[in-house]
Amino acid sequence: MNCAISGEVPVEPVVSKKTGLLYEKRLIERHISVSSSLFSVSRFLSSKIMGNVQLLVNHTPLMTLIVKPKPLHTATIPGLLGAFQSEWDGLMLTIFSLEQQLHTARQELSHALYQHDAACRVISRLKKERDEARQLLSEAESQLPAAPEVAPANATLSNGKRADGAEQGPDAKKMRLGISTEVITELTDCNAALSQQRKKRQIPPTLASIDDLEKFTQLSSHPLHKTSKPGIFSVDILHSKDVIATGGIDTTAVLFDRPSGQILSTLTGHSKKVTSIKFVGDTDLVLTASSDKTVCIWGSSEDGNYACILTLKDHSAEVRAVTVHATNKYFVSASLDSTWCFYDMSSGLRLAQVADDSEKVDYTAAAFHPDGLILGTGTAQSIVKIWDVKSQANVAKFGGHTGEITSVSFSENGYFLAASALDGVRLWDLRKLKNFRTFEFPDANSVEFDHSGSYLGIAASDIRVFQTASVKAEWNPVKTLPDLSGTGKATCVKFGPDAKYVAVGSMDRNLRICGLPSDDSTEDSAQDS
């Protein structure tokens, strides 16, 4: 039994009658003496001896709670030290646990902040892409014209400009729609079909032999252009009809029927020299490019004459070349404004305008690969660039020339690329992207493979024909034809059907036909003007 105040065994215990608690008498007396002003000793305390216990009468309890007795081990100094050590150990364990929890909380907070920061960056990027996509969509919707159709020939003017209402947008520029997935699919399907056909294709038996080419001589000369501004820059041949097209310095293009020796139509509309001319497959469409920064699409009218259907003004500098895709639905123009454009043939819409951001180059020549998925371009900076048409990405570059690239031509098998420049002609193996042969002809103005890929023609100070071979075999010269124009500069060369003749343009106004004398007896009467 312990004192309810001190928690120790009382020496003189007293008991409260009211609460039944046990106290040390001296503590009660001291409390009464201290509180004598509030309590009367006679009134507060009346006691009688009960053995060794005194009863506390009329006592108001000093404590309402029982104080637990002190443990025995705290009664000694070693016991106290042990208690203190236990409390210290418990405190240290608690602190260690709190530090671990703090470390874990900090790691979780750091991870949460990192995730929040990453989420903010992703959200910011997605918002930017969304805004860009919305802007592009808005521009496309605002610029998309209503399904344009090729204007009929009778709706055009004789000077090659559009009829009233045919212009689209400011400065008559076409809307840039981009090469869609449908167009890419069409190009890919065409590539697959042509590649499959090429594997089974054989050299036609009607192809002119080497012996025939060795006997070639000039058969005729036709004055197609003006004497005031002589010079033919470009030639193309429509094999199915044996019609020859020429583009001249006199700003006109001429369609010439070779069998009859008659001019079918003279295309007028450009204000400066015609730098390139191409037939569109076996159709009645003709493309011309000019130094006046325009490209014209010409069509045959009911009376047989040709008139300008569309005039394209997307370039800001001289247009040097046009080339037609194998589908005959699309074409490319190359310009000195450092861009080339991909067009839809039927509408004249510019689907893409491509510039190389890595370097500034001026395009002087262009040609599609026979399969249609590769575009070769020549530049004024002596570089030949190869492009993936689907992605409009530059996939290869060929150097080594000095001077401007004047023309590029792919072989029919798709393995070789020939490029002419002021220092000569270089041949490239597209499978290994290597230059495997060089012909050094000063001022090589044009290079062309025939349709079968058996012969290569080069126009320079004269016209030379080579027999094609493999990479390792020798490309033997077959025939050298002198330039009879007197200018000393043949500007372009083109093989006729089955290489039966060669059409040559020079810096005079005459188109010259070279072939076997017996094949062109009807042209013997043609004379130089």
Side-chain angles (χ1 to χ4, degrees):
M1 299 177 65
N2 299 313
C3 174
I5 296 176
S6 64
E8 298 179 350
V9 178
V11 178
E12 294 182 58
V14 291
V15 179
S16 172
K17 291 181 178 181
K18 187 173 182 179
T19 63
L21 299 177
L22 183 66
Y23 298 96
E24 175 68 53
K25 181 181 178 181
R26 60 182 177 82
L27 295 177
I28 295 298
E29 289 176 346
R30 182 178 298 174
H31 178 71
I32 292 173
S33 65
V34 173
S35 307
S36 57
S37 61
L38 300 175
F39 300 96
S40 171
V41 176
S42 61
R43 178 175 174 272
F44 183 82
L45 183 61
S46 103
S47 59
K48 66 179 179 179
I49 304 299
M50 293 181 58
N52 204 26
V53 177
Q54 297 182 6
L55 298 177
L56 191 64
V57 185
N58 298 327
H59 166 245
T60 299
L62 300 177
M63 296 182 64
T64 59
L65 297 176
I66 300 175
V67 179
K68 294 182 180 179
K70 293 182 179 179
L72 292 177
H73 66 272
T74 61
T76 61
I77 291 177
L80 288 173
L81 292 176
F84 292 157
Q85 184 66 48
S86 299
E87 291 179 0
W88 174 262
D89 293 340
L91 180 61
M92 292 299 103
L93 291 174
T94 301
I95 293 175
F96 177 76
S97 177
L98 291 175
E99 287 179 347
Q100 283 187 323
Q101 293 177 6
L102 177 61
H103 180 67
T104 303
R106 283 178 174 174
Q107 285 184 328
E108 293 176 351
L109 178 60
S110 176
H111 184 64
L113 290 175
Y114 175 80
Q115 288 183 327
H116 178 267
D117 184 62
C120 289
R121 289 198 299 268
V122 171
I123 292 173
S124 177
R125 178 174 57 82
L126 292 176
K127 284 184 177 180
K128 182 179 179 181
E129 293 177 353
R130 179 202 63 186
D131 294 339
E132 292 176 350
R134 285 179 175 176
Q135 183 178 0
L136 291 175
L137 179 61
S138 177
E139 293 176 356
E141 289 177 347
S142 63
Q143 295 179 357
L144 184 64
E149 297 179 356
V150 176
N154 57 10
T156 59
L157 302 179
S158 60
N159 63 356
K161 296 183 179 179
R162 289 178 180 272
D164 294 339
E167 301 289 349
Q168 296 182 4
D171 300 328
K173 289 190 176 181
K174 304 297 177 302
M175 308 308 178
R176 182 177 179 178
L177 303 180
I179 300 180
S180 65
T181 54
E182 291 80 5
V183 174
I184 292 176
T185 301
E186 187 174 8
L187 299 182
T188 304
D189 293 342
C190 177
N191 172 77
L194 292 177
S195 299
Q196 189 66 26
Q197 293 176 8
R198 186 166 290 106
K199 294 178 181 179
K200 303 177 182 179
R201 192 171 183 176
Q202 297 180 352
I203 296 177
T206 55
L207 181 70
S209 65
I210 295 178
D211 293 337
D212 292 339
L213 265 70
E214 290 176 345
K215 300 175 184 177
F216 272 18
T217 186
Q218 179 172 311
L219 303 177
S220 61
S221 178
H222 306 277
L224 303 182
H225 293 270
K226 298 177 182 178
T227 56
S228 59
K229 294 182 178 180
I232 296 175
F233 262 26
S234 180
V235 171
D236 197 24
I237 300 177
L238 180 59
H239 287 193
S240 61
K241 298 180 180 179
D242 205 0
V243 174
I244 303 175
T246 62
I249 295 179
D250 62 356
T251 73
T252 66
V254 176
L255 301 184
F256 174 75
D257 182 57
R258 191 195 69 87
S260 65
Q262 301 295 319
I263 295 177
L264 298 180
S265 182
T266 299
L267 314 182
T268 59
H270 288 292
S271 60
K272 294 184 179 181
K273 63 185 178 183
V274 177
T275 56
S276 181
I277 188 167
K278 292 291 179 183
F279 285 104
V280 182
D282 290 332
T283 67
D284 291 329
L285 296 179
V286 177
L287 300 178
T288 57
S290 172
S291 295
D292 62 7
K293 309 176 186 179
T294 65
V295 175
C296 289
I297 303 177
W298 306 80
S300 176
S301 58
E302 295 179 355
D303 59 1
N305 292 320
Y306 278 72
C308 181
I309 298 175
L310 295 172
T311 300
L312 311 177
K313 302 179 180 180
D314 295 297
H315 289 291
S316 58
E318 177 179 338
V319 184
R320 280 292 190 88
V322 287
T323 178
V324 181
H325 188 267
T327 59
N328 295 324
K329 296 181 179 180
Y330 309 98
F331 70 94
V332 162
S333 63
S335 171
L336 295 182
D337 65 0
S338 303
T339 67
W340 57 267
C341 293
F342 186 91
Y343 288 97
D344 176 73
M345 185 74 70
S346 61
S347 62
L349 288 177
R350 181 191 65 185
L351 303 183
Q353 187 165 11
V354 182
D356 192 346
D357 296 332
S358 63
E359 58 181 341
K360 185 179 184 301
V361 292
D362 302 324
Y363 297 107
T364 56
F368 271 112
H369 187 273
D371 293 339
L373 289 185
I374 296 176
L375 175 70
T377 57
T379 68
Q381 288 72 29
S382 311
I383 298 173
V384 176
K385 292 194 171 189
I386 306 299
W387 301 83
D388 178 7
V389 178
K390 294 189 295 183
S391 61
Q392 300 98 61
N394 180 212
V395 295
K397 292 195 296 185
F398 300 146
H401 279 290
T402 57
E404 176 182 300
I405 305 296
T406 54
S407 69
V408 292
S409 178
F410 289 95
S411 64
E412 191 278 336
N413 59 15
Y415 296 156
F416 305 134
L417 170 67
S420 64
L422 299 181
D423 63 342
V425 173
R426 288 178 178 265
L427 299 177
W428 302 85
D429 184 357
L430 298 177
R431 296 164 294 184
K432 298 182 179 180
L433 303 181
K434 292 179 60 177
N435 171 226
F436 67 92
R437 197 164 307 281
T438 300
F439 301 111
E440 295 183 357
F441 301 125
D443 297 329
N445 298 306
S446 178
V447 61
E448 186 76 24
F449 285 97
D450 80 301
H451 189 64
S452 68
S454 301
Y455 303 111
L456 176 71
I458 300 174
S461 58
D462 52 22
I463 301 92
R464 303 195 185 191
V465 179
F466 291 81
Q467 181 185 16
T468 62
S470 63
V471 172
K472 296 182 179 180
E474 191 68 27
W475 291 46
N476 297 316
V478 176
K479 183 67 176 179
T480 299
L481 298 167
D483 175 29
L484 300 179
S485 66
T487 63
K489 185 177 181 180
T491 56
C492 46
V493 59
K494 200 80 175 181
F495 288 94
D498 293 330
K500 296 294 186 181
Y501 66 87
V502 176
V504 179
S506 302
M507 286 307 293
D508 65 348
R509 67 193 190 106
N510 297 314
L511 171 68
R512 289 175 170 80
I513 307 297
C514 299
L516 283 173
S518 59
D519 290 343
D520 290 273
S521 58
T522 59
E523 296 180 345
D524 288 341
S525 59
Q527 301 294 329
D528 291 344
S529 69

